Amino acid sequence: MPKKTIQVPTELLNALADAQHVVVFTGAGVSAESGVSTFRDALTGLWARFDPMQLATPEAFLADPDLVWGWYEWRRQLLLKAHPNPAHQAIVKLAQQVPKLTVITQNVDDLHERAGSRDVLHLHGSIFNPRCFSCAQPYPLKQAPAMRHEQALPPPTCSYCQGMIRPGVVWFGEALPQAEMEAAFAAAENCDVLLSIGTSGVVQPAAQIPQLALRSGALVAHINLEPVSCQHARELSLVGVAGQILPLLVQD
Ligand code: OAD
């Protein structure tokens, strides 16, 4: 993508320089430059090509476990080949330049951790932590047959209860992990600046996080390919790719 000149508002740079606690809230767009598909892009988004109700609900898993397990296994294998991009790396650098930084992500990949971020709050779980559908026992993933495209694959069996192993992600209709959600909401309520990066902000309850920060007096900057409509005086929209904008927010 050709580089665009992006002007970062001084208000944001000053707020970051003064901040005691910065929250970075990410969605699929932060991993897009690593070659990972987002969900809602009209052409390349996963939900443009696949039906979430057939792949991302407990009912779908029970109806066709091989279809669902195979789809997640295909995505897991793609993620293993992906690498953190300059946006993930800039977040790590920013954490070294402010007193406290909390990363909250809706992503099920581990690209923040592989870039070097610590204690990432994964609101939608992790594709790398499967567990038993029946007894919730974690399942150590073994090498799976290489997949070139999505294909049906039977899920492994739990060695404790013989139940089916499911992906460790949060599906539509399921509750978010309690501890992560409480920690994320508390961070949003107690930060000075929140950067909302690469998310369409439509999936609840995660989508409340920028609003919580605004209500608590923080400055909220949306970093997105698309302009984000700002209703609040302390809300900014920076339009462009995360991997170009985020490095402009950190000192060399
Ligand atoms: P979406 O696919 O809904 O939104 C991705 C956002 O990133 C869009 O607003 C894009 O404009 C923006 N974007 C794309 N590339 C970008 C780039 N290089 N730099 C900056 N912005 C970029 O993904 P999420 O908001 O993460 O839930 O979706 C939320 C949840 O919906 C996901 O966690 C997933 C999905 O169903 C579960 O799996 C439970």
Side-chain angles (χ1 to χ4, degrees):
M1 196 164 295
K3 287 212 178 214
K4 261 195 345 190
T5 314
I6 295 153
Q7 280 297 338
V8 178
T10 317
E11 187 186 1
L12 176 57
L13 294 175
N14 289 344
L16 283 171
D18 293 344
Q20 291 300 310
H21 185 184
V22 174
V23 167
V24 171
F25 172 58
T26 63
V30 81
S31 297
E33 289 156 82
S34 298
V36 180
S37 297
T38 63
F39 292 93
R40 293 179 180 78
D41 182 276
L43 295 176
T44 59
L46 290 169
W47 295 157
R49 297 193 291 133
F50 301 99
D51 178 357
M53 293 305 123
Q54 282 189 334
L55 292 166
T57 70
E59 295 77 18
F61 181 64
L62 290 175
D64 195 341
D66 298 14
L67 175 85
V68 173
W69 180 261
W71 190 74
Y72 279 94
E73 186 54 28
W74 165 68
R75 282 181 57 208
R76 188 178 73 86
Q77 292 193 17
L78 290 178
L79 287 171
L80 286 173
K81 292 183 206 137
H83 299 286
N85 68 54
H88 298 106
Q89 285 150 2
I91 293 164
V92 176
K93 218 166 171 185
L94 186 60
Q96 293 158 1
Q97 297 176 1
V98 296
K100 183 174 179 189
L101 184 141
T102 306
V103 180
I104 306 171
T105 190
Q106 298 164 86
N107 298 343
V108 298
D109 65 45
D110 62 350
L111 293 174
H112 283 303
E113 285 88 346
R114 281 202 268 145
S117 287
R118 296 282 160 259
D119 302 322
V120 178
L121 298 170
H122 280 271
L123 293 182
H124 292 166
S126 162
I127 204 164
F128 298 105
N129 292 333
R131 63 177 188 276
C132 177
F133 188 88
S134 304
C135 74
Q137 188 70 30
Y139 177 81
L141 272 173
K142 304 191 177 71
Q143 187 110 20
M147 295 164 86
R148 283 169 179 272
H149 50 81
E150 63 279 5
Q151 63 188 69
L153 191 70
T157 304
C158 175
S159 49
Y160 291 85
C161 77
Q162 309 310 311
M164 287 189 293
I165 300 301
R166 58 161 285 171
V169 305
V170 175
W171 281 326
F172 290 105
E174 292 188 312
L176 268 50
Q178 184 79 17
E180 279 81 355
M181 194 171 81
E182 281 173 11
F185 278 39
E189 284 170 337
N190 288 295
C191 68
D192 309 298
V193 178
L194 182 141
L195 305 175
S196 176
I197 306 166
T199 177
S200 55
V202 295
V203 174
Q204 297 291 354
Q208 290 171 34
I209 284 175
Q211 295 308 318
L212 272 182
L214 276 173
R215 280 208 293 275
S216 308
L219 181 75
V220 170
H222 302 276
I223 296 165
N224 200 297
L225 273 185
E226 306 289 337
V228 173
S229 134
C230 297
Q231 314 289 340
H232 198 284
R234 306 243 326 134
E235 204 175 10
L236 304 168
S237 169
L238 279 69
V239 181
V241 292
Q244 286 175 18
I245 296 180
L246 265 294
L248 302 176
L249 305 185
V250 295
Q251 293 148 30
D252 287 328

